[in-house]
Structure formats: structure tokens, C-alpha cells
């Protein structure tokens, strides 16, 4: 809820450039609604371009040539920066041999070995294309191993967009969700109650490394909660499934609960593992090796080698350059800078989640109206961020990128102030 | 069932090369069973390499440097030949700009426009990564449009490997398949009975362009059957969904039922549409445009531009070079050659399916034992084909490739004959 005059707010808004507008019109004719999914800008301020042209390092350029410091990084896949030269070179070298063949190449074995070496709980790996493929396969493996049906998932958590897990009910059936039971993140009692409610039919507990629900302040995991899940799985024989699709390799060079010493049985990966190349993975421990061999899942491109070569290169750079530390350092500077700016301009904000996956909200801005104005203004001043979803800091961010990002957010705070934007009481 | 002496048969067999064997051993440690899915060579003759090194045109090379004329083409994705220069150049040009960004590029609009122009029933397009994504989304759209749950599918048909459709039950639940009702391909009465059994709750009918079940002689569609499905959908308001994942652009430059004049409401595409780059698509007509906008499905890489640039180039070449005609011509020569060889060596065979998606079986060889020996021998003589799954002829096949393929199959027939292999009566 924003308190300001309509004219002042209107004056703040813009629209994306003429090339973007022209493409939106063409898209509307041949794509339902002009776009779909999480990259649909239909619910974002009109300033946001729907169509992008290019990216390099921490910068992206839209189809009208507007360049932005990128704080979304393709919603997670880009971790080392766009078109990282080491990754691109590895991908091109593999592409010159072959990508999708009658079998995998040596890259698959190398990558499985590498992941097993890096991720503490993993004894084996399998590969897919989508994060949803990986979370789905984890559930299937848990069911095959236990002979049980029920999977516990946190209320509000996002684990993909297949009918069993999409947050929107349209087109799905009651049967699609029949085997999910909800618990509250970080509330061990709610998990125990959920497990009890399906005692004898519990296959697994699916959990994110931290609570990163879109539209809400983020919540780090309580290590006691994580340990409690592990214990509950040990007691019941259920699989502990860590959905590391969004966080994987951003929080730790390994799975995201390694630092707190809690080992899942299965983990789901995608997004950043190949720096933007389409790849997903399921990692598991030896208890689940035999059950995997009883099931059948596959895809036409699951053995393609270019994305695996890209992943191997990505892992090399992540390790060699200690990219997690870089992202933490840059994320900390970003958070500190934003805090100082908010204080300076007199806007109460909350920054939650890990610094390398920042989430910013304005206190009292329940409908995200102020946050949305802020994001649109920041975009116009040169930084691409999001008002209702966590951001992603890449390891490519230079001091110059950070300075530009902070100068854009400072200008956005100033613009809010000059337009007399106040966070008003909610409409009643 | 093979009638021969064990020694003679043993003498026929080989194993894959030392590099392949070494990689298999390494893979066994870090991938359950050493491999998964349809590219798992665990159930193929030991001659077949599990790991491939490269491909160009109609030839593939395994990790031991053995070169084969490729009659599988990555199980469908490769239609113009491996690393087709026009496709590779378009992909590289796009990769130099960007692939996975904060939004799609202009390529998505161009590709949607192109597909709508080429595929007669299509008014719009959406893009995914896996064929299974596309078939799943078609079902979801049909349900969103009708408010009904049930999807009719042909007994034995393959529509993907997610829990709702995988042919192997392990790890799936009764709820996963609760909304499928089976009919018999080409048996309209069975479809009408299935529809009647769920009257009032019918969302869609899912059907392949022809019956291409693995392990069985293939069966072309009866146009009367196809027209009957269309009529049934018109009567009931259910969506007619054509699963063109495997056949798309191999049978016709357009959807596979265009030549018989039956228009689906929705169609699922993947495999060959980008000549090996990971891409899938759902095409639909205007009746389904609004329902699509009520649902939410997405993936981290669904907007990536390189595969779309590759698809645009693939479509250009397919159209310009009339590649379907090329595949038909080469497929016909292959079929005729195999028929002549089988007659010459005295083996009764059946060749079914479209000539560009050939399927070969030995008459009476119910357990495919002779077919498997034949495939292994043909492989050793330089052609990569499959004893239990349809093959895929690419448009890259030259006269020299065809001659080499046929000389390999001729040698395989001869080898069977010299080892006194006869198709015996089934064990009882």
C-alpha cells in the first residue's frame, strides 16, 4: 500500500523500450498471454523488458540496448557471470565433438565423479534437464526405496512446476497432490505431526536449504530443525531429500547443509551447476543405489555432453576461485550499502536470506507496492532486481558493477522520497 | 529363440572396446548400475558401446574410435545429421550473445511464429526442455480447459518417463496413473468405450501419429481411426492431443497428421525440432489459448535462446532441402536393400513403420534373440541400429553411408547364416 498522489506515481513509471514493445505485440499473437512461467514480465512494472538480447559478466542488455547490472542472473542459473570464458570454452570444445549422441560421453562419468567428490552425502549421480525433473526423481526414488507413497513438503515451498508441485492449481487434479503432506518450515513439531499422520506410508521429507518462498521474507534454516529431520528420517526409514536446485553451489562448495553437518539421503540440483547450460542432477547415497535401478526415467537430452562439459568447467572455477567467498563478500557489501541508503532516505527495510541470495522488503509494505516502485526505479537507473523474489549475486560482480548497482538503488530510494512515497496503512 | 550351438553363438559375440569398458567400470562406481534410461546399453549386446565420442553427418564414433553409420541418430533428436553446419552456426551465433537470460530473446517469438506458420493446427506455441514436459503440459492444458480429469492413452504407448507415464511402475503410485484410461491403438470402439467409461470427466485423448511401441511391429494409423478420434473429441469437448515428440518433422514438414487431414487441438514436440539441442514445444489452437493462461508451468532453461536459434535453423534446412523427401528416399532404399538381403540369405523378416523410422523384426523371433544377434553383428560391421526399437534415418545419409550400412547388414545376415542361426520354435 503506497501513500502518494496518483500523478506523482504515474510520473515515476516508464515502459520498456520500443523493440521490447514491438516484440511483446508479436509474442501476444503466437504465445498465450505473450509469455508464460517465471520469466513472464506481465506482473512486473511496465519498465521491465520482457525480451533480453545478451549478457556478459555481471551485465545484461535488453533488446533496446539498455544495459543493467544483473542481480537476478537468469533467476539462478548464472553463478560465474554471463558467458564466463572458461565455461564457454569448455562447452565449445565439447560441441565441436558432439552433444546429443547415441550414448553419453566420458563427460558424464567425469561429472558424476566430480560431484561425488565435492558433495559430502553423495555416492552416485544421475542427470536430467529441469530442476523439476530432479525433485520429481528424488520423490520417485524415495518411493521405490521405501515402498511408501507420502512425501512431506513445507507449506509455501517451491519445488518445481509439474502438476504434483506447481503452486497454481489450474489443470492439476486432486490425485496429483494426493501424496503430499504439508509441514511448516523450521517447525519440527509440525513435521513430526505430518509424519505421524501418514505413519507406515512415509516415503520422504523434501526440504529446501532455507525458506526461500517468493513474496515473503526469507528464513535461514534452524540447525536443530535440520538435525531433527535427519533423526526423523532415521527413525522412520524415510528419505531426507534436500532440494538444492536454487541454492546449490551458492551457499557452499558442496551441498547447502554441509556447513551445519546434516547429510540428506538424496539431493536435487539444477540452475547454477552448469552456469546457465540446461542441466539437472540427483545425487544420492549408497542406500538408494539399488532402488534407483528398479525404476525408469529418462529424457531425450539427459545424456547430452555440452552441458556436462560446462558443468565440469563451472565446478573447476567455483573451486579454484572460491567463488562462494566472492559472492558472500559482494553480497555483504550490497547488503550494507542498501541498509545505509535506506537509513539515509528514511525507508525502513528488511534484508533477509543469505547475502549472496538477497531478499529486500520494505517494512509494512504488505502488498509490495513500494517495493515494486523501488524495483522499477532501480531498473531505470541501471540495476536489474526483483521486488518479490530473492535475487542472485554472481561471482562476476566487480567493484564497478557493485558501485553502479548501489548508485542505481540510491537513485531509486531518492526517487521514492522525491515522489513523497510513504508506506501507508493497509487498505481496510 | 535361437537354434544354434552355444559355441558358434559365443564366437559371434564381442565386447565394446577397452576405453568403453574402462569407462563402464568407472561409471558403475558413481552412477547406479552404470547408466540409466533409454541410453542404458545394459540390455543390449555387449558389442554396443555405452559411451560415444563424437558424430558428424550420418556417422558416429565411439570412445574407442569405432565409426558407425548411424541409424539411431540419438534416438530421434538428430534429423539433419550430427553437427549440421547451418544449425551449429546459428547456435554459435546465438551463444555469442547469450543463452539463458532474465527473459527470452527475440528467437522465442521468431520460433513461435515459424511453428504457427508451419504446423496447420497451431495458433500458438510454448517451449520446454523434455518431450515429457510437452506431453505433461498438453494434459494439464486439456484439464484446465475442460475442468475434467481423465486422459485416454493407448495401451503400450510411450508418452514419456515422468511418474504419470513411465512404463515402469517402480517408484510410482496408483494416484499417478489414476486419471489415465487405456484404449487400443487403431480400435475406435475401444476408444469410445473408454470415453464412455469416464463420461462427464473426459479431458483429452492422447495419441501418437502411428503405433511405435518398442518391441513390436509398428502400425501406421488408420485414417478412419484418426477421424473418429477427432469426431469423438468434437462430440465430448475433450482435447485431441497428438504426441509428435518422436515423429515430428520426420513424417511431414508440419504435424504428422496433416497429410491425412486430421487436426489435433494440442500437439507435443521435442526430439528433432532443434537437431539435437534440448528443446520441446506445445502447440495449440485458439480454443486453448485462454486456459493456458490460467496455469503455471516453467523451467529454468525453458527460455534459453541457443536451442531456439538451432530450431529456427533446423526448420529452415528441413523446408529448403525438403528433408522429409530425402529421408523417405534413403529409407526406401534401405528397406528395399534389407528385404533383398533377407531373401538372399533366407531369413524371413518384417519391416514396419514409415521407411524413415524403420523397424525390422525376424518372423517368429518372438524374444528378439535373432534380431539381437543380427544387430550386434551389423554393429561390428559398421552400422548402428537397434533390435527392439524403431530406427531413425537422418537426412544426412549419403549414398556412401547407405552403401556402407547395407554392406554391414549383408555381412550380418551372412554371419547369422554361417553360424547356422535358425529361428526356432519358442521354448515351451
Amino acid at each position: 500500500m503506497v501513500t502518494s498522489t496518483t500523478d506523482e506515481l504515474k510520473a515515476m513509471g516508464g515502459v520498456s523500450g520500443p523493440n521490447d514493445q514491438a516484440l511483446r505485440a508479436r509474442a501476444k499473437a503466437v504465445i498465450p498471454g505473450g509469455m508464460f512461467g517465471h520469466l513472464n514480465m506481465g506482473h512486473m512494472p511496465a519498465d521491465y523488458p520482457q525480451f533480453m538480447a545478451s549478457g556478459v559478466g555481471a551485465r545484461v542488455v535488453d533488446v533496446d540496448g539498455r544495459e543493467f547490472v544483473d542481480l537476478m542472473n537468469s533467476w539462478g542459473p548464472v553463478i560465474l557471470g554471463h558467458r564466463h570464458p572458461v565455461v564457454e570454452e569448455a562447452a565449445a570444445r565439447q560441441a565441436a565433438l558432439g552433444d546429443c549422441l547415441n550414448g553419453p560421453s566420458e563427460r558424464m562419468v567425469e561429472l558424476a565423479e566430480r560431484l561425488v567428490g565435492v558433495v559430502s552425502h553423495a555416492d552416485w549421480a544421475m542427470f536430467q534437464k529441469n530442476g523439476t525433473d530432479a525433485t520429481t526423481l528424488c520423490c520417485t526414488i524415495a518411493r521405490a526405496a521405501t515402498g511408501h507413497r507420502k512425501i512431506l513438503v513445507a507449506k509455501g515451498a517451491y519445488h518445481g512446476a509439474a502438476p504434483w508441485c506447481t503452486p497454481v492449481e489450474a489443470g492439476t487434479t486432486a490425485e496429483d497432490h494426493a501424496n503430499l503432506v504439508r509441514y511448516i518450515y523450521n517447525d519440527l513439531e509440525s513435521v513430526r505431526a505430518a509424519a505421524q499422520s501418514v505413519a507406515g506410508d512415509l516415503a520422504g521429507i523434501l526440504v529446501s536449504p532455507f525458506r526461500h518462498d517468493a513474496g515473503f521474507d526469507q528464513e535461514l534454516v534452524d540447525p536443530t530443525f535440520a538435525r531433527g529431520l535427519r533423526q526423523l528420517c532415521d527413525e522412520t526409514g524415510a528419505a531426507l531429500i534436500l532440494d538444492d536446485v536454487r541454492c546449490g553451489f551458492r551457499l557452499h562448495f558442496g551441498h547447502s547443509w554441509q556447513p551445519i553437518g546434516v547429510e540428506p539421503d538424496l539431493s536435487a540440483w539444477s540452475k547454477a551447476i552448469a552456469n546457465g547450460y540446461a542441466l539437472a542432477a540427483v545425487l544420492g547415497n549408497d542406500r538408494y543405489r539399488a532402488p534407483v535401478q528398479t525404476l525408469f526415467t529418462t529424457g531425450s537430452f539427459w545424456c547430452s555432453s555440452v552441458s556436462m562439459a560446462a558443468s565440469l568447467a563451472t565446478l573447476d572455477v567455483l573451486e579454484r576461485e572460491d567463488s562462494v567467498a566472492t559472492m558472500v563478500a559482494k553480497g555483504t557489501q550490497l547488503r550494507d550499502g542498501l541498509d545505509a541508503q535506506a537509513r539515509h532516505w528514511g525507508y525502513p527495510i528488511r534484508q533477509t536470506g543469505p547475502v549472496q541470495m538477497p531478499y529486500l522488503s520494505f517494512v509494512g509494505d504488505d502488498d509490495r507496492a513500494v517495493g515494486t516502485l523501488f524495483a522499477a526505479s532501480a531498473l531505470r537507473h541501471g540495476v536489474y532486481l526483483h521486488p518479490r523474489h530473492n535475487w542472485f549475486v554472481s561471482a562476476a560482480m566487480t567493484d564497478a558493477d557493485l558501485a553502479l548497482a548501489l548508485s542505481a538503488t540510491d537513485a531509486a530510494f531518492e526517487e521514492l522520497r522525491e515522489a513523497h512515497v510513504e508506506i501507508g496503512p493497509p487498505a481496510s
Side-chain angles (χ1 to χ4, degrees), chain A:
Chain A
M1 185 63 191
V2 168
T3 308
S4 188
T5 73
T6 307
D7 282 353
E8 279 164 333
L9 290 177
K10 268 199 184 147
M12 288 183 66
V15 290
S16 64
N19 292 339
D20 190 66
Q21 292 294 317
L23 278 171
R24 285 180 189 232
R26 283 169 59 192
K28 226 170 155 57
V30 291
I31 297 168
M35 195 35 208
F36 52 86
H38 67 296
L39 299 184
N40 183 355
M41 294 294 123
H43 302 293
M44 291 284 276
D47 308 79
Y48 276 78
Q50 177 62 76
F51 294 93
M52 304 302 293
S54 65
V56 64
R59 308 285 179 106
V60 284
V61 178
D62 75 7
V63 286
D64 288 282
R66 293 193 297 174
E67 185 180 276
F68 309 101
V69 177
D70 192 3
L71 287 179
M72 285 307 288
N73 283 293
S74 318
W75 298 58
V78 172
I79 188 168
L80 299 175
H82 295 277
R83 290 197 284 130
H84 190 280
V86 175
V87 178
E88 295 306 288
E89 207 255 315
R93 206 164 49 233
Q94 181 60 46
L97 295 170
D99 184 21
C100 180
L101 297 162
N102 290 341
S105 77
E106 187 169 357
R107 298 296 90 69
M108 183 188 279
V109 182
E110 293 171 341
L111 183 56
E113 289 171 340
R114 186 77 161 104
L115 289 168
V116 164
V118 166
V119 177
S120 57
H121 84 93
D123 295 315
W124 52 260
M126 293 171 75
F127 301 101
Q128 309 82 34
K129 287 284 119 179
N130 301 307
T132 305
D133 297 337
T135 56
T136 302
L137 180 52
C138 285
C139 295
T140 306
I141 295 169
R143 289 178 173 130
T146 59
H148 297 161
R149 291 176 303 164
K150 303 296 179 182
I151 305 283
L152 310 191
V153 295
K155 206 174 278 187
Y158 182 80
H159 295 295
W164 72 268
C165 55
T166 177
V168 174
E169 212 173 276
T172 71
T173 68
E175 291 76 11
D176 290 326
H177 332 116
N179 289 313
L180 301 184
V181 184
R182 300 285 171 178
Y183 65 84
I184 310 289
Y185 199 94
N186 270 343
D187 177 347
L188 194 56
E189 275 320 299
S190 75
V191 186
R192 291 199 167 272
Q196 190 55 46
S197 76
V198 294
D201 199 16
L202 180 63
I205 302 177
L206 182 55
V207 63
S208 304
F210 69 94
R211 186 178 188 169
H212 48 46
D213 307 355
F216 295 91
D217 288 337
Q218 314 288 284
E219 193 178 322
L220 298 184
V221 70
D222 175 351
T224 309
F225 172 75
R227 283 191 291 270
L229 295 189
R230 180 65 270 171
Q231 194 190 333
L232 183 56
C233 286
D234 291 341
E235 287 166 15
T236 58
L240 181 57
I241 306 166
L242 188 66
D243 178 354
D244 233 332
V245 168
R246 199 184 300 181
C247 303
F249 296 127
R250 289 191 177 273
L251 306 190
H252 182 72
F253 188 64
H255 74 76
S256 294
W257 281 4
Q258 272 179 235
I260 60 169
V262 176
E263 299 293 339
D265 297 299
L266 301 167
S267 55
W269 301 72
S270 184
K271 290 210 182 270
I273 62 171
N275 202 48
Y277 285 79
L279 187 66
V282 167
L283 307 182
N285 65 26
D286 272 334
R287 186 183 150 209
Y288 292 84
R289 191 186 283 267
V292 165
Q293 295 171 65
T294 66
L295 53 87
F296 182 80
T297 184
T298 194
S300 294
F301 312 109
W302 288 15
C303 293
S304 294
S305 294
V306 169
S307 60
M308 296 182 187
S311 183
L312 284 161
T314 300
L315 291 168
D316 283 349
V317 176
L318 283 169
E319 182 172 45
R320 188 170 65 233
E321 303 188 353
D322 196 1
S323 304
V324 172
T326 305
M327 291 186 283
V328 168
K330 284 292 183 293
T332 302
Q333 289 175 271
L334 179 66
R335 180 160 295 185
D336 292 347
L338 286 165
D339 268 338
Q341 292 172 355
R343 274 196 307 275
H344 175 78
W345 294 106
Y347 284 104
I349 64 167
R350 265 196 303 262
Q351 296 193 76
T352 53
V355 292
Q356 62 273 50
M357 295 173 70
Y359 185 85
L360 182 153
S361 66
F362 286 77
V363 176
D365 183 35
D366 297 338
D367 60 1
R368 297 286 183 268
V370 175
T372 301
L373 289 172
F374 174 77
S377 176
L379 181 92
R380 289 193 298 274
H381 288 98
V383 64
Y384 192 113
L385 49 78
H386 200 285
R388 293 182 307 276
H389 192 283
N390 75 271
W391 315 341
F392 299 88
V393 171
S394 84
M397 206 177 213
T398 63
D399 289 337
D401 294 323
L402 183 72
L404 182 52
L406 283 171
S407 104
T409 54
D410 195 57
F413 279 119
E414 181 177 8
E415 204 166 84
L416 292 186
R417 183 52 68 214
E418 289 188 347
H420 310 292
V421 170
E422 296 296 341
I423 303 162
S428 63

